[in-house]
Amino acid sequence: MSITGLHYFLPSWVQPADETLEVDLCVYGGNASGVVAAVKASRLGLSTVLLQPGQHLGGMTTGGLGWTDFGRKHVIGGMARDFYRRIGVRKGVEEEWAFWPSEASAVVDELIAEAGIDVRLAQYLDAVAMDGPRIVAITLLGGLTVRAKCFVDASYEGDLLARAGVSYHVGRESNATYGETLNGVQCMNKHQFSLGGVDESNPVHIDPFVVAGDPASGLLPGVEARDLRKDAGQADRKVQAYNFRVCMTDDPDLKIDWQAPAGYDPRLYELAVRWFAHEPGPGDWSGSRVYGSDGRPQDRVRKFDVLSSRTPSGHRKTDSNNHGPVSSDFIGANYLWPEADYAVREVVFQRHVAYQRGLYYFMANDDRLPEDLRRAYGVWGLPKDEFVDTDHWPHQLYPREARRMVAELVVTEADCRAERVADDSVGMGSYTMDSHNCSRFVGEVDGKPSVMNEGDVQVPPTDPYPVSYRAIVPARGECANLVVPVCFSASHIAYGSARMEPVFMVLGESAACAASLAIHEGVDVQDVAYGKLRSMLDDAGQVLG
């Protein structure tokens, strides 16, 4: 099974185009937020074009994230709620929040077709023409030019906002920056090399050296020498780890067995060997991870694997995510991604593909691992009927955070803890303040050098909280006709709560409504009358707090 169809960017995708489009609204980024923004704008009577830097629409929603991270459902309304109701129609229920990638793709295609959206694929931003603080036009690789009255940057990376000169941040702020407690370097007890079940507070020794016990042999790949516990709460430019949310199946009629990727290097997974050499504690077993053809658990398998429970209603497919101290998150391999050019992102993308495919093959086949674990992984594989044009692997890498706009209002931990409540809500966040690990380093366990993970945070907000309109528009004077529903203005830890696909869809609809008002009233997006916007969002069924 080749991976020739699996790419972030290929120069051959870019086709020469001597064309200038003139529209009311240009949406850059065809993930679920961008799709919702474009469809809503069309429903509001705006001429709209949707530009996608890639070959597929829907982003993570169609790219494997079928187990929706929604926080509290009751705060998700409008077109976002309608999306999950449309999924439900396909399953014969009122609404559904767990689904196959192909089902989500069908709903996206349905929305696009209903609205008659002009979609242009493989369109990568090349240049932005400004007139003072306004975007006049953008040019894409290949030569397509789009002139618009207003723009929406719905990309996961914030490429348009950056080219337009809008302020942004990459990485983690210090706790002192916004008076927070969960930002910056964080060494907590989740997803660590430790035993003890849910608490995971009993660290175990994991030798960090290539040759165990020999510092002269160097450190294992991806392990930093500095003990990062000394930097607790301090800022850096690291971003939480990326991975692919892989759709797996244990259906023998659908399953494609794990195969080693080109250049497979088992040395990348030495940490897994050392981790699984430890006997698990009494709280580290799960009887719900491995299923046979009868749908019943077959083995008691350690909790610290990456195999997720299947989606409900008897479906034999998963949305498999990172789990445990060494898993599908490729920790430390994504630092270049947020600000990289497309060729470099392609390299980073392929490194993540190779790492994660290699991990699954390794876990199913390497005889240094416990037999129960190898057998558990061997039950699963890629489904033949998903991602058929990308060799059954997700087309979308999960960029959990990249650039984040810095606007007049920055959503912070204070919002998540209800210490501040915005009075100009355009959507609600409610998910846990969540960050995956950002780095690995050499700490100390039992007086010996030992590998530790850093960056994982999982702290729930006090209540659902409003996301301010001021967080999705640039600071006054920076760009007068741009709305940003994905890389919105938030600190690292607050973004970790609000960065969920349903929230992105909610903010995409709100962005389209704001753009419509700005266009029709001839004002800057910063000057849109919130009362009028609020009325539109209420009429659309948004939940605003």
Side-chain angles (χ1 to χ4, degrees):
M1 181 173 59
S2 71
I3 58 169
T4 55
L6 182 58
H7 296 275
Y8 166 79
F9 168 77
L10 283 181
S12 61
W13 289 352
V14 178
Q15 299 301 309
D18 183 16
E19 181 182 8
T20 297
L21 295 175
E22 295 201 17
V23 295
D24 294 323
L25 182 67
C26 173
V27 179
Y28 182 75
N31 54 35
S33 181
V35 168
V36 166
V39 171
K40 182 66 173 186
S42 179
R43 291 177 180 176
L44 292 172
L46 301 181
S47 58
T48 306
V49 64
L50 176 60
L51 306 175
Q52 164 61 356
Q55 298 282 16
H56 301 85
L57 295 177
M60 287 305 303
T61 296
T62 61
L65 208 168
W67 192 276
T68 306
D69 296 321
F70 49 74
R72 302 184 191 179
K73 293 179 185 177
H74 72 275
V75 299
I76 301 166
M79 290 183 65
R81 194 60 175 250
D82 177 65
F83 178 90
Y84 299 104
R85 287 173 176 155
R86 288 176 183 240
I87 293 283
V89 167
R90 285 163 166 75
K91 295 181 177 294
V93 296
E94 181 179 356
E95 61 186 29
E96 182 59 82
W97 302 77
F99 44 82
W100 303 348
S102 54
E103 293 171 326
S105 291
V107 171
V108 166
D109 291 345
E110 178 180 88
L111 289 167
I112 292 291
E114 287 176 0
I117 301 298
D118 181 2
V119 175
R120 307 293 180 101
L121 299 177
Q123 297 297 328
Y124 296 83
L125 186 64
D126 185 30
V128 175
M130 303 288 294
D131 181 7
R134 302 187 71 83
I135 302 173
V136 175
I138 64 173
T139 303
L140 294 305
L141 294 181
L144 174 67
T145 296
V146 179
R147 302 176 66 86
K149 297 173 183 175
C150 201
F151 293 80
V152 168
D153 184 351
S155 68
Y156 285 124
E157 294 80 16
D159 288 340
L160 177 52
L161 73 88
R163 293 288 187 96
V166 173
S167 299
Y168 66 86
H169 186 77
V170 174
R172 298 179 287 186
E173 302 90 350
S174 72
N175 274 329
T177 302
Y178 297 118
E180 297 177 299
T181 65
L182 300 173
N183 213 330
V185 175
Q186 295 287 331
C187 302
M188 295 191 177
N189 63 355
K190 301 294 185 184
H191 296 284
Q192 288 286 7
F193 294 95
S194 57
L195 300 177
V198 175
D199 185 36
E200 299 181 4
S201 58
N202 299 315
V204 296
H205 175 251
I206 302 293
D207 193 288
F209 303 115
V210 173
V211 177
D214 181 9
S217 65
L219 293 170
L220 289 171
V223 179
E224 299 181 27
R226 178 176 172 80
D227 188 340
L228 296 179
R229 291 175 296 181
K230 301 174 182 177
D231 299 336
Q234 297 303 305
D236 60 23
R237 290 185 60 81
K238 295 174 182 175
V239 291
Q240 57 179 305
Y242 298 174
N243 70 340
F244 291 90
R245 298 286 285 254
V246 175
C247 182
M248 300 182 183
T249 184
D250 67 345
D251 185 337
D253 294 330
L254 286 180
K255 187 184 80 164
I256 301 169
D257 289 336
W258 305 120
Q259 298 183 26
Y264 170 67
D265 184 358
R267 292 176 299 179
L268 286 174
Y269 314 110
E270 178 63 25
L271 281 174
V273 175
R274 297 180 188 185
W275 169 230
F276 287 110
H278 286 272
E279 285 297 321
D284 292 316
W285 291 98
S286 172
S288 61
R289 295 286 175 172
V290 182
Y291 297 84
S293 59
D294 60 359
R296 293 188 171 187
Q298 299 298 296
D299 296 317
R300 289 204 328 150
V301 178
R302 305 176 192 219
K303 246 181 221 178
F304 34 75
D305 60 24
V306 301
L307 302 177
S308 301
S309 299
R310 291 173 295 166
T311 52
S313 305
H315 299 154
R316 299 183 66 171
K317 295 181 183 177
T318 71
D319 165 4
S320 294
N321 193 18
N322 181 82
H323 188 90
V326 54
S327 183
S328 58
D329 275 1
F330 196 3
I331 297 173
N334 61 341
Y335 299 157
L336 293 176
W337 183 275
E339 297 178 295
D341 63 27
Y342 309 123
V344 171
R345 284 185 188 158
E346 170 68 11
V347 172
V348 175
F349 181 96
Q350 294 300 342
R351 285 191 65 206
H352 278 76
V353 173
Y355 168 81
Q356 200 165 336
R357 289 184 67 205
L359 172 69
Y360 296 150
Y361 176 80
F362 176 86
M363 298 296 279
N365 292 280
D366 197 289
D367 60 11
R368 292 174 293 170
L369 295 173
E371 182 182 359
D372 68 317
L373 198 65
R374 284 183 279 127
R375 186 168 61 249
Y377 274 77
V379 167
W380 297 88
L382 299 176
K384 296 176 182 177
D385 59 347
E386 297 289 343
F387 304 116
V388 295
D389 62 344
T390 54
D391 295 315
H392 313 288
W393 190 267
H395 51 75
Q396 177 69 60
L397 180 64
Y398 195 175
R400 291 186 170 92
E401 62 177 332
R403 295 182 179 97
R404 301 188 308 279
M405 182 169 64
V406 179
E408 291 180 7
L409 184 140
V410 179
V411 180
T412 70
E413 193 177 327
D415 296 271
C416 299
R417 295 189 183 278
E419 296 166 359
R420 176 178 66 177
V421 180
D423 59 4
D424 54 350
S425 173
V426 288
M428 301 286 286
S430 65
Y431 195 75
T432 294
M433 287 179 278
D434 175 68
S435 173
H436 286 231
N437 278 312
C438 299
S439 53
R440 287 196 172 105
F441 66 95
V442 180
E444 186 178 278
V445 173
D446 297 331
K448 296 178 288 188
S450 189
V451 180
M452 293 183 173
N453 293 333
E454 176 278 317
D456 187 274
V457 178
Q458 300 174 49
V459 177
T462 303
D463 285 301
Y465 57 90
V467 176
S468 168
Y469 178 62
R470 288 164 287 167
I472 69 169
V473 295
R476 191 175 301 276
E478 289 199 338
C479 190
N481 61 337
L482 176 68
V483 192
V484 183
V486 175
C487 294
F488 56 86
S489 179
S491 69
H492 158 76
I493 197 58
Y495 191 79
S497 169
R499 63 175 175 82
M500 304 303 157
E501 292 288 293
V503 179
F504 288 157
M505 284 190 259
V506 166
L507 297 181
E509 183 174 15
S510 297
C513 291
S516 175
L517 285 172
I519 291 170
H520 289 310
E521 299 193 357
V523 298
D524 297 347
V525 293
Q526 293 83 2
D527 293 326
V528 166
Y530 177 69
K532 293 182 179 180
L533 177 59
R534 173 82 188 220
S535 179
M536 289 182 71
L537 300 181
D538 286 338
D539 290 345
Q542 292 275 33
V543 180
L544 303 176

